[in-house]
Amino acid sequence: MGIYEELVARGLIAQVTNEQEIRDMINAGKATFYIGFDCTADSLTAGHFMALTLMKRLQLAGNKPIALIGGGTTMIGDPSGRTDMRKMLTKEDIDHNAACFKKQMEKFIEFGEGKAQMLNNADWLLGLNYIELLREVGACFSVNNMLRAECYKQRMEKGLSFLEFNYMIMQSYDFYYLFQHYGCNMEFGGDDQWSNMLGGTELIRRKLGKDAHAMTITLLTDSQGHKMGKTAGNAVWLDPNKTSPFDFYQYWRNVADADVLKCIRMLTFLPLSQIDEMDHWEGSQLNRAKEILAYELTKMVHGEAEAEKAQTAARALFAGGADDSDMPTTQVDPALLADGQIAVLDLLVACKLIGTKSEGRRLIQQGGLVIDEEKITGIEKTFTAAQLKAGVKIRKGKKIYHKAVLAD
C-alpha cells in the first residue's frame, strides 16, 4: 500500500484534481505541497491536528512539506465556515502568533535544508501593488463563479465584506507564487477550502499555460477538524499553558463513541491492521479505544511523560479517589476572598471554568456542578480560605475536573 492509498484508507481524502498524477507523485515521494495556517491566535488547536499529522505522514514518505504561515492572509480573514466577520488583528499580533505557530509545528515536522520549509505569505502579499495585482490576477477570476463558492454562500445573507471577498484571490495567489518560486506543485486543505484551492490551480493554468501541473487535494472532514478544535465553546489548544496536558487528554478521552475509531484512523500513527481489529469493539472496549486515542495524541503533543501522567490521573478520577496531583489546578489569589470566603461563581470564574456568571448560574440550575463530592444547588455557596488551602476539587458536568487551591 502506497502512502496515497493509506490516506484514502484512513478516511482523509475528500476530492482531488488529477487523481492519478497525485497518486503517482505522492507515492513516489516527489510532491512539494503546502498547507496554509492563518495565525488568528497565539497557539494551534486540536482542530489543526489533521493537517499536522498529514504533513508528517507525507514527509515520512519522502514528500516535501511547506508550512505556510498566513501572516498576510490573516490580515484579511478567511470567511469559510463563518457566520460573522473575524476580529481584525494588528500586524504585531499576527507576527507574535506566527512565531508561536512555528515553535509548535517544529514538534511535528522536520524543517531544514532539503526537508520541510516554513514560509510566511506576508513576505509577498504585503508588498503587492493593488493596481498591478488587479491587472495580473483580477482578470483570471469570475465574480459570478466566486459568488457561487460555498465559502461565500452562507455569508451572503448576513453580509460579506469586500475585504473578505478578496480572500480567495489572496489564497490563490499564494499557490501561484509558491509554484513559481518554490516548485510547489500541490496544495492540501480542508474540504471547505475547495473553491479557494481550485482558484489557485486555475490561476496557475491561466497564467502559465496548461502544461503547468498544479494539483489540489482536500482533506475529507475539515468541518470535523473544526469540531475537534473546540469543546464546550472553548478551543482545545496545543499550548500547555492554555490547555493543560490533562485537559487535552480528557478531551480526546471523551470523544463520542461514534467518532473514536474515525479519530484513531485519521490522527494516530497506529498501523491500519491494528485499527482494523478495533472495528468490532463495543461497550467497555470503546473506552479502551478512547484511552488509546487520548494517550497517543497527548504523547505526540506533550511528550510521553505528560501522557503517562494524564492517563494515570484520568484513570484515578474515573475509578474514584486516588492520586489527583496531576489534575489541572488554579492558584486562587487571596485578594479574591472577602471576609475569608469566596462565592462559588467567583471561584468558577477564577478557575476559568465559566466565561460569565450567567453561565455559572445555568450550570448550577442544571445540576452540573459538584465540589468536594457535594452537588452545588445554589449560588450562595461559599468556600473558606481553610478549604482552599486543603484543595477544593471541582467537577463541571461529567467530564471536566479541576482543583482550586489558595495561593501563598
Side-chain angles (χ1 to χ4, degrees):
M1 180 185 293
I3 183 61
Y4 183 85
E5 288 76 18
E6 181 179 343
L7 296 181
V8 172
R10 289 185 179 273
L12 289 168
I13 304 301
Q15 48 192 336
V16 302
T17 63
N18 318 74
E19 182 171 28
Q20 190 57 52
E21 285 186 79
I22 288 174
R23 181 194 307 271
D24 293 344
M25 189 172 292
I26 286 176
N27 284 343
K30 296 186 180 299
T32 298
F33 67 96
Y34 93 92
I35 299 178
F37 298 84
D38 275 356
C39 32
T40 53
D42 59 1
S43 173
L44 295 166
T45 72
H48 292 107
F49 232 113
M50 199 180 295
L52 293 171
T53 55
L54 175 81
M55 294 176 83
K56 185 171 184 177
R57 292 184 209 281
L58 290 170
Q59 184 175 45
L60 290 172
N63 299 285
K64 294 182 180 179
I66 296 175
L68 184 64
I69 302 295
T73 42
T74 304
M75 298 191 78
I76 296 176
D78 183 3
S80 301
R82 301 284 299 189
T83 58
D84 57 354
M85 187 171 171
R86 294 181 186 272
K87 177 185 175 183
M88 297 286 285
L89 300 177
T90 66
K91 187 177 184 303
E92 291 71 26
D93 288 338
I94 293 170
D95 288 344
H96 170 73
N97 293 347
C100 294
F101 274 27
K102 288 180 181 179
K103 291 180 182 178
Q104 292 177 340
M105 286 181 181
E106 288 170 348
K107 294 181 179 180
F108 294 87
I109 314 301
E110 189 174 359
F111 294 95
E113 186 69 30
K115 299 175 183 176
Q117 299 179 78
M118 189 173 289
L119 304 173
N120 190 327
N121 64 17
D123 293 341
W124 54 85
L125 292 181
L126 298 189
L128 288 173
N129 178 285
Y130 187 60
I131 299 299
E132 290 179 2
L133 178 67
L134 287 178
R135 288 177 60 86
E136 182 178 7
V137 176
C140 298
F141 286 84
S142 162
V143 171
N144 290 344
N145 288 339
M146 292 174 73
L147 291 176
R148 284 193 289 268
E150 288 298 325
C151 58
Y152 292 144
K153 275 184 180 179
Q154 62 183 343
R155 291 295 306 281
M156 293 302 292
E157 291 184 8
K158 291 192 174 182
L160 175 71
S161 73
F162 182 70
L163 176 71
E164 297 170 291
F165 189 61
N166 281 271
Y167 192 91
M168 181 186 291
I169 295 175
M170 295 294 98
Q171 183 172 337
S172 300
Y173 189 87
D174 280 342
F175 196 6
Y176 174 56
Y177 187 93
L178 292 171
F179 184 90
Q180 288 184 291
H181 296 273
Y182 292 92
C184 179
N185 49 33
M186 202 174 296
E187 177 180 7
F188 280 77
D191 55 2
D192 66 345
Q193 295 284 309
W194 182 244
S195 297
N196 290 353
M197 295 162 69
L198 286 181
T201 56
E202 179 64 13
L203 177 60
I204 292 169
R205 188 189 67 80
R206 292 278 299 270
K207 296 296 294 183
L208 302 177
K210 63 181 181 180
D211 293 329
H213 290 281
M215 289 155 276
T216 299
I217 183 167
T218 69
L219 302 180
L220 178 60
T221 51
D222 187 71
S223 56
Q224 178 71 15
H226 286 306
K227 286 195 293 183
M228 288 176 186
K230 294 189 175 183
T231 179
N234 298 311
V236 178
W237 306 99
L238 304 194
D239 183 344
N241 295 314
K242 296 169 78 70
T243 297
S244 72
F246 176 86
D247 283 337
F248 187 84
Y249 178 96
Q250 282 290 88
Y251 173 72
W252 297 107
R253 173 62 180 79
N254 293 318
V255 299
D257 289 357
D259 292 334
V260 59
L261 287 179
K262 181 191 299 182
C263 290
I264 289 176
R265 284 186 189 280
M266 288 181 168
L267 302 176
T268 77
F269 285 80
L270 296 177
L272 283 169
S273 58
Q274 180 180 345
I275 301 171
D276 289 341
E277 294 175 1
M278 302 179 191
D279 274 341
H280 304 295
W281 285 12
E282 55 186 30
S284 61
Q285 289 178 307
L286 286 178
N287 286 329
R288 173 60 184 146
K290 292 177 185 181
E291 281 195 334
I292 292 171
L293 172 68
Y295 181 85
E296 290 295 322
L297 299 190
T298 305
K299 182 172 69 172
M300 287 171 61
V301 175
H302 299 295
E304 188 170 4
E306 290 294 340
E308 291 284 354
K309 288 197 296 184
Q311 186 171 76
T312 299
R315 285 176 174 174
L317 289 169
F318 278 109
D323 182 15
D324 64 2
S325 59
D326 292 315
M327 188 186 298
T329 301
T330 294
Q331 300 284 329
V332 178
D333 186 346
L336 296 177
L337 277 64
D339 297 325
Q341 296 182 324
I342 186 170
V344 62
L345 294 181
D346 292 324
L347 180 62
L348 294 178
V349 170
C351 294
K352 298 182 179 178
L353 291 172
I354 56 173
T356 65
K357 290 187 177 181
S358 295
E359 179 186 341
R361 291 189 186 94
R362 289 193 298 272
L363 177 68
I364 291 170
Q365 289 168 358
Q366 294 165 4
L369 183 65
V370 175
I371 300 182
D372 283 345
E373 304 304 320
E374 175 191 352
K375 179 175 282 190
I376 306 302
T377 58
I379 63 172
E380 67 279 358
K381 180 70 176 180
T382 60
F383 299 88
T384 66
Q387 287 176 293
L388 289 171
K389 284 180 181 178
V392 171
K393 297 176 186 178
I394 304 168
R395 177 162 61 84
K396 176 186 173 184
K398 294 181 179 180
K399 302 174 181 178
I400 298 176
Y401 294 86
H402 203 87
K403 186 164 63 174
V405 298
L406 193 65
D408 295 332

